Amino acid sequence: MKKRYFWIDNIRAIAMISMIIFHAVWDLVYLYGMDWEWYRSDMAFVWQQSICWTFIVLSGFCWSFSKNPLKQGLIVSAGGLIVTAVTLIFSYDSRVIFGVLNLIGASALLMIPLKKWFEKMPAVAGFFIMFLLFGFTYGINDRHLGFFGLELIELPWDLYKNLFTTFLGFPEIWFYSSDYFSLLPWAFLYFAGYFLYRMWKEGKIPGANCLDRKLPVLTWLGKHSLIIYMLHQPIIFGLLEIIFNS
């Protein structure tokens, strides 16, 4: 039986709590008309990015722990499809198409054929290469390549034409999703998480295991993160409906 590392669950749980608060505020601002200008600021964007970066990197980090990566990738992808179906039916204006679960599931499946190539790369080099590729393609949804906002190469409109290109990272002009994580650039961040795991296994991230403590609430939240992610928005929305419409 593989050892469970509680520090991973604890970090995931902290990100989960942050995400729940962020989404609760999103509902208040965009669904219930709360006037909070800060939530549209750059600092709120940094808050949102800190959450998704943590989840995606941790997911890549934990890929090697899975006994059946194919099954795990399919389960997470199915979860993403369920979220899409539910939002299309019950909350079309805030629909989720190609959300973070779709991205994580697809990246996990891609890791299966890529693993034999990645294993040939030194862990530190692999991490920095993947992170640089993530940074270089970060603006691909907005038709440019560069590094985190620095626009170096403008991409042609011909790449942005259908749902398949949208999934890859080239969204067609009409596309909208309240939670859009295309394969590019985000798969590179997932792959960086895989190399971060290898760095940890090789002892190149000192001190990580010092945080390995079972903290009842955090550890439980981290262990059940997928089902909590699936249920948190309906629960938040239901509570807000009770509060504002009772």
Side-chain angles (χ1 to χ4, degrees), residues 114 117-118 121 123-137 148 185-195:
L114 289 174
W117 302 104
F118 286 171
M121 299 173 65
V124 175
F127 173 79
F128 282 106
I129 289 170
M130 293 303 150
F131 191 77
L132 287 173
L133 286 172
F134 171 64
F136 185 65
T137 58
F148 299 113
W186 296 101
F188 289 125
L189 191 61
Y190 184 98
F191 300 151
Y194 163 77
F195 283 105

Side-chain angles (χ1 to χ4, degrees), residues 21-40:
I21 297 170
F22 183 88
H23 285 165
V25 177
W26 191 97
D27 289 346
L28 287 168
V29 171
Y30 291 104
L31 299 181
Y32 292 90
M34 186 179 77
D35 185 17
W36 191 19
E37 191 60 34
W38 181 89
Y39 192 72
R40 301 179 177 89

Side-chain angles (χ1 to χ4, degrees), residues 153-164:
I153 301 172
E154 185 175 348
L155 297 172
W157 275 112
D158 288 346
L159 294 174
Y160 300 75
K161 55 187 179 181
N162 55 47
L163 273 179
F164 179 70

Side-chain angles (χ1 to χ4, degrees), residues 16-182:
M16 180 73 62
I17 293 168
S18 182
M19 177 199 68
I20 291 171
I21 297 170
F22 183 88
H23 285 165
V25 177
W26 191 97
D27 289 346
L28 287 168
V29 171
Y30 291 104
L31 299 181
Y32 292 90
M34 186 179 77
D35 185 17
W36 191 19
E37 191 60 34
W38 181 89
Y39 192 72
R40 301 179 177 89
S41 69
D42 290 340
M43 287 304 298
F45 176 73
V46 171
W47 178 17
Q48 184 262 350
Q49 291 288 287
S50 72
I51 298 167
C52 62
W53 282 40
T54 301
F55 275 124
I56 294 168
V57 169
L58 275 180
S59 297
F61 186 99
C62 293
W63 185 87
S64 297
F65 292 130
S66 177
K67 296 178 181 178
N68 190 334
L70 175 61
K71 180 181 177 181
Q72 185 69 16
L74 291 174
I75 289 173
V76 176
S77 297
L81 292 175
I82 291 171
V83 170
T84 296
V86 170
T87 56
L88 285 173
I89 295 169
F90 296 104
S91 184
Y92 186 78
D93 289 341
S94 55
R95 58 195 178 273
V96 175
I97 303 174
F98 302 138
V100 69
L101 290 184
N102 298 108
L103 176 275
I104 291 173
S107 299
L109 295 174
L110 278 176
M111 271 296 305
I112 297 171
L114 289 174
K115 182 174 182 281
K116 63 180 180 180
W117 302 104
F118 286 171
E119 286 179 335
K120 298 176 182 179
M121 299 173 65
V124 175
F127 173 79
F128 282 106
I129 289 170
M130 293 303 150
F131 191 77
L132 287 173
L133 286 172
F134 171 64
F136 185 65
T137 58
Y138 188 75
I140 200 169
N141 296 160
D142 298 317
R143 293 188 56 242
H144 68 264
L145 298 174
F147 288 95
F148 299 113
L150 177 64
E151 300 182 18
L152 298 178
I153 301 172
E154 185 175 348
L155 297 172
W157 275 112
D158 288 346
L159 294 174
Y160 300 75
K161 55 187 179 181
N162 55 47
L163 273 179
F164 179 70
T165 65
T166 300
F167 170 71
L168 292 179
F170 310 97
E172 55 184 326
I173 193 168
W174 65 267
F175 178 77
Y176 171 77
S177 173
S178 62
D179 183 47
Y180 174 47
F181 287 88
S182 53

